[in-house]
Amino acid sequence: MRTYDVTLTISPDLPTWPGDPCIVLERVGKIENGDNANVSRIDMVVHSGTHVDAPYHFLPDGKTVDQLSLSLLTGRAYVLHLPEVDRITAAVLEEAQIPPRTRRLLFKTRNSQYWSELSNGFRTDFVGITADGAEALVKRGVKLVGVDYLSVAPFKESRPTHEILLSAGVVVIEGLDLSKVSQGRYTLFCLPIKLGGSDGAPARAILVGV
């Protein structure tokens, strides 16, 4: 068995959503300065890096991240490689060879290569799932969707896709790095930090495959 870490490394170099504050990760206690131990603090939006969106992110009465079922965030998953698409539409999904009864679906696109190009900053041309694509996923019975950039939806089209997925109880993982992962079946383990009442949380995500 092989384990793939598909989590982004949190650092001040990591791009954040336009308008969100940059990530701050700094030591406030330093052994070299005479402190008893090294101690660091972090300041960032909960939707930074690899993270899970809770329904409350877009639905006023939706569940918060501490209320999500971990059974949805762990289990068999399928990585679908779509190297040529600019948008994941219902038509794209219809043509894709998604195994029957797939309940956790992770999309590997050209987005994953962006994580090795952090100096280019936030990319607005990332691949996302359109509203009709989201409807198609719900219709297929998909219960978890993972994407390899900071939003499941195309840039400036966030609300429709999020509302469709989250209102249907679909768990959304954003900010995956699937660059080292091939298309196929894996076991997913994604554990968001248990933040009380939060609309999302950073997560550590791994895939285990043969």
Side-chain angles (χ1 to χ4, degrees), residues 6 23 36 48 58 63 76 82 90 99 109 111 123 132-133 137 140 156 167-168 171 175 178 182 185 203:
V6 294
I23 296 168
N36 186 57
S48 302
F58 278 88
K63 288 184 178 181
R76 294 180 63 187
L82 298 173
T109 71
N111 296 341
R123 299 285 297 256
D132 72 319
L137 290 169
R140 291 183 66 98
K156 294 189 175 180
S167 63
V171 174
L178 300 173
S182 300
R185 300 179 188 273

Side-chain angles (χ1 to χ4, degrees), residues 90-162:
V92 167
L93 294 170
E94 182 67 26
E95 294 179 5
Q97 296 182 349
I98 303 171
R101 298 183 297 280
T102 296
R103 294 296 174 260
R104 300 175 188 85
L105 186 58
L106 311 181
F107 292 97
K108 177 182 178 179
T109 71
R110 57 176 162 80
N111 296 341
S112 281
Q113 73 188 39
Y114 296 160
W115 301 125
S116 63
E117 305 167 354
L118 297 184
S119 60
N120 292 331
F122 182 85
R123 299 285 297 256
T124 60
D125 60 342
F126 65 88
V127 179
I129 302 171
T130 61
D132 72 319
E135 290 171 348
L137 290 169
V138 171
K139 187 175 181 180
R140 291 183 66 98
V142 173
K143 294 300 182 184
L144 179 144
V145 171
V147 294
D148 52 356
Y149 209 65
L150 296 180
S151 176
V152 71
F155 189 58
K156 294 189 175 180
E157 299 179 34
S158 292
R159 181 164 290 279
T161 296
H162 278 92

Side-chain angles (χ1 to χ4, degrees), residues 5-208:
D5 187 353
V6 294
T7 313
L8 296 172
T9 300
I10 297 294
S11 79
D13 297 326
L14 195 63
T16 55
W17 194 263
D20 286 350
C22 294
I23 296 168
V24 176
L25 177 59
E26 62 179 355
R27 282 193 300 154
V28 294
K30 301 179 180 180
I31 293 175
E32 65 267 28
N33 289 349
D35 293 322
N36 186 57
N38 290 319
V39 178
S40 299
R41 65 176 289 270
I42 190 166
D43 184 359
M44 68 180 192
V45 172
V46 296
H47 300 274
S48 302
T50 305
H51 64 276
V52 173
D53 281 357
Y56 186 56
H57 187 31
F58 278 88
L59 308 176
D61 298 320
K63 288 184 178 181
T64 53
V65 74
D66 53 310
Q67 297 172 322
L68 294 179
S69 170
L70 293 183
S71 64
L72 287 177
L73 287 155
T74 57
R76 294 180 63 187
Y78 188 77
V79 174
L80 179 64
H81 191 193
L82 298 173
E84 306 295 335
V85 305
D86 293 321
R87 297 160 68 85
I88 302 172
T89 64
V92 167
L93 294 170
E94 182 67 26
E95 294 179 5
Q97 296 182 349
I98 303 171
R101 298 183 297 280
T102 296
R103 294 296 174 260
R104 300 175 188 85
L105 186 58
L106 311 181
F107 292 97
K108 177 182 178 179
T109 71
R110 57 176 162 80
N111 296 341
S112 281
Q113 73 188 39
Y114 296 160
W115 301 125
S116 63
E117 305 167 354
L118 297 184
S119 60
N120 292 331
F122 182 85
R123 299 285 297 256
T124 60
D125 60 342
F126 65 88
V127 179
I129 302 171
T130 61
D132 72 319
E135 290 171 348
L137 290 169
V138 171
K139 187 175 181 180
R140 291 183 66 98
V142 173
K143 294 300 182 184
L144 179 144
V145 171
V147 294
D148 52 356
Y149 209 65
L150 296 180
S151 176
V152 71
F155 189 58
K156 294 189 175 180
E157 299 179 34
S158 292
R159 181 164 290 279
T161 296
H162 278 92
E163 286 184 338
I164 291 165
L165 294 174
L166 296 174
S167 63
V170 178
V171 174
V172 174
I173 307 173
E174 297 172 330
L176 294 168
D177 179 1
L178 300 173
S179 58
K180 303 290 193 303
V181 180
S182 300
Q183 178 168 298
R185 300 179 188 273
Y186 299 85
T187 300
L188 169 71
F189 297 90
C190 179
L191 300 178
I193 298 174
K194 195 174 184 180
L195 301 177
S198 180
D199 46 273
R204 188 67 181 262
I206 65 169
L207 292 173
V208 178

